């Protein structure tokens, strides 16, 4: 029998960074705070990015087959918080965030530590999230700094 409280407690101990995942569909761009992300292969360079299935961004990745990950600095909690909001509530999340369009057509945050851009090479749709496997096709470093981690924000996403 599964102890729900023990499950929640232990799953929340898995360390996660906080990133902004930039997505596009045609000319439309969006972004969301991503925390279930990890490297999965050296050759080819692969990452997995888990995206909530009932989100607009999920459909945008499914349609375009690309996404970009902007790595946030430990002092950029405010940006992570802004991008947690659904687009239908805040309209254009990029209104006051400087960004540029990368090779994939996805938005990349200019003041981030850096980025990777990915083309989707696989997807597993199970539960309430889809595990997108992305091959890194472009990357760049903007500056040095410490990465923002979920545990330092006091927020919880998991369990």
């Amino acid at each position: 029998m599964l102890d729900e409280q023990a499950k929640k407690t232990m799953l929340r101990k898995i360390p996660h960074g906080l990133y902004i995942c930039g997505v596009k569909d045609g000319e439309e761009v969006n972004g969301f705070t991503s925390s279930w992300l990890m490297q999965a292969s050296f050759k080819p360079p692969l990452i997995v990015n888990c995206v909530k299935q009932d989100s607009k961004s999920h459909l945008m990745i499914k349609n375009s087959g690309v996404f970009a990950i902007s790595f946030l600095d430990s002092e950029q909690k405010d940006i992570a918080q802004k991008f947690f909001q659904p687009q239908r509530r805040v309209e254009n999340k990029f209104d006051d965030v400087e960004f540029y369009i990368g090779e994939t057509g996805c938005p990349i945050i200019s003041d981030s530590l850096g980025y990777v851009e990915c083309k989707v090479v696989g997807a597993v749709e199970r539960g309430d999230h889809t595990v997108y496997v992305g091959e890194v096709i472009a990357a760049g470093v903007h500056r040095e700094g410490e990465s923002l981690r979920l545990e330092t924000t006091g927020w919880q996403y998991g369990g």
Side-chain angles (χ1 to χ4, degrees):
M1 184 150 114
L2 179 62
D3 178 330
E4 284 294 322
Q5 189 56 49
K7 173 208 54 127
K8 187 178 285 190
T9 298
M10 296 315 298
L11 290 178
R12 287 183 175 168
K13 291 188 181 296
I14 297 171
H16 298 285
L18 288 176
Y19 316 90
I20 302 303
C21 181
V23 297
K24 68 136 189 162
D25 190 4
E27 297 300 311
E28 183 180 8
V29 297
N30 191 29
F32 64 94
T33 302
S34 178
S35 63
W36 293 354
L37 178 95
M38 65 180 236
Q39 184 174 351
S41 172
F42 290 115
K43 292 183 183 179
L46 300 176
I47 63 171
V48 295
N49 184 15
C50 302
V51 181
K52 201 164 189 237
Q53 290 177 359
D54 65 357
S55 69
K56 181 175 185 176
S57 293
H58 177 274
L59 183 59
M60 293 174 83
I61 294 172
K62 194 172 189 174
N63 289 343
S64 70
V66 292
F67 61 88
I69 302 294
S70 294
F71 290 72
L72 296 178
D73 182 273
S74 61
E75 302 299 315
Q76 293 179 308
K77 178 180 174 181
D78 57 329
I79 294 176
Q81 188 167 18
K82 176 179 183 154
F83 281 85
F84 260 129
Q85 305 284 333
Q87 187 179 27
R88 66 183 177 276
R89 268 196 223 149
V90 294
E91 300 289 324
N92 183 359
K93 297 178 197 178
F94 288 100
D95 267 347
D96 58 352
V97 176
E98 189 177 326
F99 72 97
Y100 61 94
I101 299 299
E103 292 178 28
T104 59
C106 295
I108 296 168
I109 295 181
S110 301
D111 190 35
S112 63
L113 297 175
Y115 68 93
V116 294
E117 293 186 81
C118 298
K119 69 174 179 177
V120 174
V121 294
V124 178
E125 294 188 17
R126 297 287 186 274
D128 54 9
H129 282 63
T130 293
V131 179
Y132 283 110
V133 179
E135 182 175 347
V136 177
I137 58 170
V141 176
H142 295 145
R143 61 187 172 88
E144 291 296 318
E146 293 294 317
S147 295
L148 181 61
R149 294 185 322 274
L150 184 62
E151 65 190 37
T152 64
T153 65
W155 303 337
Q156 294 180 343
Y157 188 77

